[in-house]
Amino acid sequence: MTGGDDSDRQAGDPHALGGGGGDLGRRPGHWISDEPWDAETDLQALDRKDLDASTTTLIWRRFKRNKLAVLSGLFLLIMYLMLPVAGFFAPYHPQARNTDAIYAPPQEIDIFTAGHFLVTYPTVSEIDMATFQPKFTADYDDPRPLRWLTSCGDPWSFLGLGETAFRLICPPEGSDLYLIGADRLGRDIFSRLLHGAQLSLTVGLIGVTISFGIGMVLGGFAGYFGGWLDAAVQRSIEIIRSMPELPIWLALSAAIPANWGPVAVFFMISVILGLLDWPGLARAVRSKFLSLREEDYVRAAELMGASTTRIVGSHMMPNFMSHLVASATLSIPTMILGETALSLLGLGLRPPAVSWGLMLNDALDLTAVEIYPWLLAPMIPVILVVLAFNFLGDGLRDALDPYS
Amino acid sequence: MASDRAMRTETRASGRAEDGASTPLLDVRGLGVRFGDRRTGMEVVSGVDFHLMRGETLAIVGESGSGKTVSGKALLRILPKGASVSAGTAMFAGRDGRPPRDLLALSRSDMRAVRGGSISMIFQEPMSSLSPLHTIGDQTAEAVRLHTDLRGAAVRDRCLEVFDQVGFPDPARAYDAYPFELSGGLRQRAMIAMALVCGPDLMIADEPTTALDVTTQAQVLDLIKRLQKDMGLAVILVTHDLGVVANMADRVVVMRKGRVVETGTTEDILERPGHGYTRALIAAAPELPVGKPVHHGGVPDPIFWARNLSKTYAGRRSGIGAAAPEIKAVRNVELAVGRGETMAVVGESGSGKSTIAKLMLRAEEPDAGAEVGFKGADGEVLDVTALSGAALKAFRARVQIVFQDPYASLSPRMAVMDILTEPLRVHGKGGDRERRERAAEMMRKVGLSPEHLSRFPHAFSGGQRQRISIARALMLEPELLVCDEPTSALDVSVQAQVLALLKELRDEMGLSYLFISHDLTVVADLADRVAVMRRGRIVEEGPATLLFENPQHPYTRALIAASPEPDLSRRLDLAAVARGAGEPETWPEPFAYSGDQAPGLVEVAPGHFVRCAA
């Protein structure tokens, strides 16, 4: 198909490519670029300069591009850093009752009044004899400034190490400070939200640690050894997955002895949530193990004579840990919601513990929505935290494969 | 340059007005493709000019990253996400007699009518281009209904006619078959049938045979050529293989890094290449040796050998109780690697060649009765099948492996330094400093700068990574290297460099190689002995020169005949391919056998064995 007649046609073709550089003496249609070329330069040149960094750096670089995930991460970081010093930010002790402030609505705060910065007004409550609802009236002629960085109220404890009554904000002298209102015992909802975060946010971490541990061990064994062990783990995963989640939670929580202290109950709730959550992680670990086993670099390590510990520890683990961190991040919100649901139903944490679910437990009836809507305030942090974890997890997952 | 181009375009335009008969079917000018947006994007193709006459085959040749595939896809405007045509025109003069239209400026609906109608495309991977849930017939008929007025039974008739043309043995059965029921070659035929069923003017074939075995490739190439002649079809053949070009193309466009390097007739390019890059590409294309001195004889001093090596895999159960037949991947293989020599095992996919390497390295356990021996430089003979614990670990240090895929064989989490020093750490050899020095020395030996030691594998190209893999394999100073298709994932020019490196290292370090490949031409230069495998058995084995000069077995002859070479005087010999490429039952006497009734190996010359009835 190439041959004499072919070149004839080429020669007579007015559309043949002519011109170009360096083709003097060549036949028409034979065009040669005058771009230089050197075989040696290709050998040392890096192919992808942009990928020349450790995986962690590359993942971080890509993660940073997702603004929403970074923002969520920051939000969660601030939340968790605040947990041990929640008492410092809360104007009241979570159990401090004030019979004059039962169902007090969020209080008015003025930014500049009478030469003071941030003032409140003393509020008097009286029962409206027609509706039997407390009625609050503020005395606007008597502005009182908030007190900053001083001691007031009942002391709070810092990680059980010591107690202090030193706070960021204190209510003004002779007045109250209910930023988002008070509950049916006259306790400050804002302070209780901050203290409730301590339990509500850690329940997820403890639960995920437990499910992570179980999932890693069982999934790892199933994936690495295969055979009957794999089959057994797989079947138990399927059984656990097929059980309805909420009734199991309920049954297990109801089995916690009623005379246990709040801390023990809290711990048991975390354990229960963790025990029921591991199948997802175990599956992820198992499938990662199975696919990594087939990777050439793992086989290369095997054929190098490396021990199983080394293969798993330095070749497989680093390559799937990041995936697991992402899946774990995505399963924390389930646990937080689980705790909230259990406490709401009265089967989770018990008073005097404070958690977001328990606070919502006060808002179980219609009056809350109708007359005291501020009792529903704990829903907002729950929603924010769950969303933040989801955004963060999604961002991590998307950043995991930085090589494209 | 710009004014030059403007002038050329002008003369072309006037030529077109005078002479309508020689209007190109497709005339591409200054095609540019960009990834990303206008500001930060990267130009991956720029200033590409070519044209194509009716009934002509134009080959776009280039290595990975040359922009050849993107150029082909840009014509049909099926670019991947993020890519867009940034410049140029592509005037296409369809058969309908209308004036040429610019494909790059057509409306979406006009473009849809062109795709699959007057221009069709076939892709590299036939399985992923066919819908697994529809029969071949359904998928082909859909194209007919979309682009023609045929309806009802006429559609089916048209499909069957094309199926017959592309060489389906039973068109009616193919019509009702699902893609997974067909072999790779038949799937590619189905793709071609779908591309041709609407009678297009132009077919763009993107690496149409790269995923196929050589013998199947030869048949598919022949089919495309025959159909093209019958239907007056123009073909744009996108390929990296100059051998395929030599057998198929009328004219060639050579591309590198998104630019055209050289254009001309196939004859011009292959016999009078003008650009240094084209010359290097042609020089890199592997060729079968001609007229080398012939060596006779067996393996005098084997270092690594196997006898009675078999591997049977249990069949996957297809339903409750129904046990599938077991798969015999390797059957009674006997082979030996000579000290300081290269033993090549060649076979197509599924021949069991890689399994042999795994069995001999104890990555998998062979069936009972196998014997694998290793005799190191110290003269001690090891029974490899019986090794365990520390003895096995010591053996691993003496026999190392280089894998096929350089992208998968280096852990993405480790820096090159860690990758290279790991074998020493595993075997507890040397101190920290010695290990680092040895890694630097090894980098220099494989042609890379020791400065790259702190980098991570993903920064390197495929060829550089394969060099790192080789360096890792050599860190423990092994006596034997198993190379499992070490170059099949690389570009041709890189392949030539890596093969040269392997040869140099072998001679310098006194290594012996067991070299697995699917391509006879790749091993031609390196191998001292070659074993050809088919369906788990060695069908012919002997000294390389003897085997290439005087192949005895029809399958070996088919492999040699099917290897495309960038040499216009050595075309594919399809008669020889047809004789030997089929199943063992179809081979001529005395080579034919069926099932387990294989004849033994007969020594036809000293050290040259052929499987045939004595």
Side-chain angles (χ1 to χ4, degrees), chain B residues 184-412:
Chain B
L186 284 182
R187 265 182 229 143
Q188 200 55 294
R189 279 170 202 267
M191 274 298 293
I192 294 172
M194 280 170 70
L196 295 183
V197 73
C198 299
D201 296 311
L202 170 63
M203 179 165 82
I204 301 174
D206 185 4
E207 303 263 9
T209 56
T210 307
L212 304 177
D213 283 327
V214 258
T215 50
T216 319
Q217 158 171 297
Q219 288 157 354
V220 170
L221 289 180
D222 176 61
L223 171 73
I224 294 178
K225 210 164 163 180
R226 204 157 36 83
L227 290 172
Q228 180 185 13
K229 207 171 269 173
D230 293 350
M231 304 172 72
L233 185 71
V235 175
I236 294 181
L237 184 69
V238 176
T239 180
H240 68 280
D241 189 337
L242 281 171
V244 170
V245 172
N247 281 283
M248 299 289 291
D250 301 315
R251 284 189 310 112
V252 183
V253 175
V254 184
M255 286 185 71
R256 178 172 177 268
K257 298 207 169 153
R259 297 184 149 273
V260 174
V261 163
E262 189 166 351
T263 320
T265 60
T266 310
E267 215 176 51
D268 282 337
I269 299 286
L270 291 182
E271 286 169 7
R272 292 176 291 277
H275 198 274
Y277 178 69
T278 317
R279 277 196 290 269
L281 263 191
I282 294 171
E287 276 188 87
L288 289 174
V290 190
K292 270 195 175 181
V294 171
H295 296 287
H296 290 267
V299 180
D301 178 19
I303 176 172
F304 198 31
W305 63 92
R307 271 187 215 113
N308 202 19
L309 194 66
S310 299
K311 179 70 185 176
T312 311
Y313 292 103
R316 206 173 258 273
R317 245 177 295 165
S318 51
I320 296 166
E326 48 190 22
I327 298 153
K328 292 177 176 163
V330 171
R331 309 188 208 198
N332 289 327
V333 162
E334 176 169 349
L335 61 81
V337 185
R339 194 176 306 280
E341 290 191 342
T342 301
M343 171 81 194
V345 179
V346 179
E348 295 181 310
S349 50
S351 63
K353 56 188 190 303
S354 288
T355 311
I356 289 187
K358 283 182 198 157
L359 296 177
M360 289 180 74
L361 287 174
R362 292 278 304 274
E364 281 183 40
E365 295 300 319
D367 292 352
E371 184 195 319
V372 179
F374 178 81
K375 186 182 172 199
D378 53 7
E380 192 195 347
V381 175
L382 300 176
D383 177 5
V384 175
T385 49
L387 291 177
S388 66
L392 182 63
K393 193 170 166 183
F395 165 74
R396 297 238 183 269
R398 304 169 81 175
V399 179
Q400 280 288 302
I401 182 164
V402 177
F403 289 94
Q404 172 177 8
D405 184 357
Y407 288 87
S409 58
L410 303 174
S411 171

Side-chain angles (χ1 to χ4, degrees), chain A residues 301 304-307 310 315, chain B residues 393 421-429 435 476:
Chain A
M304 198 184 282
S307 61
R310 173 178 276 277
H315 288 274
Chain B
K393 193 170 166 183
T421 51
E422 194 186 19
L424 299 179
R425 271 179 279 137
V426 164
H427 287 269
K429 285 190 178 169
R435 288 174 191 164
L476 288 167

